[in-house]
Amino acid sequence: MSDLVLYNARIHTMDATQPTARAIAIRDNRIMAVGDDRSMRDLLPDVNAIDLKNRSVIPGLIDAHLHAEWASLSLKNVQCETPTLDELLRRVAERASLTPPGTWIRGHGWNHNAWSGTFPTRHDLDRAAPDHPVYLTAKSGHAGWANSLALKLANVSASTPNPANGAIVRDATGEPTGIFL
């Protein structure tokens, strides 16, 4: 549908000289004009006209970077964007109390910079969910955090080499801390 008139609307034009309009005429998928209902319908009299029933039209609000599958799956996950590490660990423990032992707990959004600036460790997650493998991704998408059970199930140990273009953060003894970069 390349030709269209939208009328009876609250159109925000983003044009300082005419910030709002009631109708918009569209030809070949391009905005032709904005104005009042009658003038836009007269401008394109033989095209489909849709009464928006006073709904708003706002240009340019397009999310071109949504990963629909990931976004929908994340609704099942622990929301990890918290002001403190303790709050995140409380959320993980709460999810563990509602989840059968041995079932993975996933989450996204943690930001160690909002807490202390130092990375948490697998031991923190072990206290919150000792009977569940836990893997949480950072808000940046560039780090992951696993507990000891998750590391065991993934066969990640002191002898595991770093992945290509990544790193397993290790403690002073060479054991994985649970952080992946």
Side-chain angles (χ1 to χ4, degrees), residues 52-53 57-58 67 75 119 146 164 177:
L52 291 185
K53 299 180 174 126
V57 175
I58 303 172
H67 301 268
L75 297 175
F119 283 116
T177 65

Side-chain angles (χ1 to χ4, degrees), residues 34-82:
V34 294
D36 62 81
D37 290 345
R38 175 68 17 226
S39 62
M40 294 302 103
R41 292 184 81 181
D42 288 347
L43 187 62
L44 295 174
D46 298 322
V47 302
N48 188 23
I50 300 173
D51 181 352
L52 291 185
K53 299 180 174 126
N54 207 36
R55 291 186 182 103
S56 293
V57 175
I58 303 172
L61 293 181
I62 298 170
D63 182 359
H65 193 81
L66 176 67
H67 301 268
E69 180 182 13
W70 191 49
S72 64
L73 290 172
S74 74
L75 297 175
K76 299 182 348 182
N77 294 341
V78 175
Q79 300 305 314
C80 298
E81 191 169 348
T82 61

Side-chain angles (χ1 to χ4, degrees), residues 103-136:
T103 304
W104 281 86
I105 295 174
R106 300 279 320 265
H108 175 74
W110 59 271
N111 179 0
H112 67 288
N113 293 309
W115 305 330
S116 66
T118 58
F119 283 116
T121 70
R122 69 180 192 274
H123 303 296
D124 297 310
L125 288 176
D126 291 347
R127 286 191 298 277
D131 301 319
H132 299 78
V134 180
Y135 185 74
L136 311 174

